[in-house]
């Protein structure tokens, strides 16, 4: 019986947490944070029996979701900055 994994791009709390952390981190600290997040995700999925292909796919979904959240947060910041100037 195949195990269906909860889609990584639906883990809203983790996506938001990562995006907010990446807003405040720079350079190597941001790289280290992201690598650790990906290692944790991969290890969790592997323990649940996911194949390497599934892990890669879920990691890509998660990365895309974090990127979209970052874009959303940047847009919010931009909107707030424009409201302050008005």
């Amino acid at each position: 019986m195949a195990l269906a994994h909860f889609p990584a791009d639906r883990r809203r709390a983790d996506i938001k947490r990562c995006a907010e952390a990446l807003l405040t981190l720079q350079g190597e600290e941001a790289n280290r944070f992201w690598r650790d997040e990906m290692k944790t995700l991969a290890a969790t999925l592997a323990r649940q029996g996911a194949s390497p292909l599934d892990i890669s796919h879920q990691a890509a979904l998660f990365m895309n979701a974090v990127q979209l959240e970052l874009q959303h947060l940047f847009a919010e910041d931009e909107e707030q900055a424009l409201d302050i100037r008005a």
Side-chain angles (χ1 to χ4, degrees), residues 2-72:
L3 176 65
H5 301 283
F6 187 75
D9 60 331
R10 304 268 173 92
R11 298 176 185 205
R12 294 298 309 152
D14 288 331
I15 291 164
K16 189 164 180 65
R17 176 184 56 78
C18 286
E20 289 174 350
L22 289 168
L23 281 178
T24 64
L25 300 173
Q26 301 294 318
E28 184 54 35
E29 190 177 14
N31 289 334
R32 188 172 33 257
F33 171 82
W34 188 247
R35 284 192 306 268
D36 289 345
E37 287 296 320
M38 289 293 94
K39 285 178 190 174
T40 299
L41 176 63
T44 298
L45 291 170
R47 280 193 306 275
Q48 294 172 350
S51 72
L53 183 60
D54 286 339
I55 292 169
S56 178
H57 178 69
Q58 291 301 317
L61 289 174
F62 186 75
M63 181 175 64
N64 186 55
V66 171
Q67 287 293 323
L68 290 172
E69 182 66 19
L70 279 167
Q71 289 174 6
H72 174 75

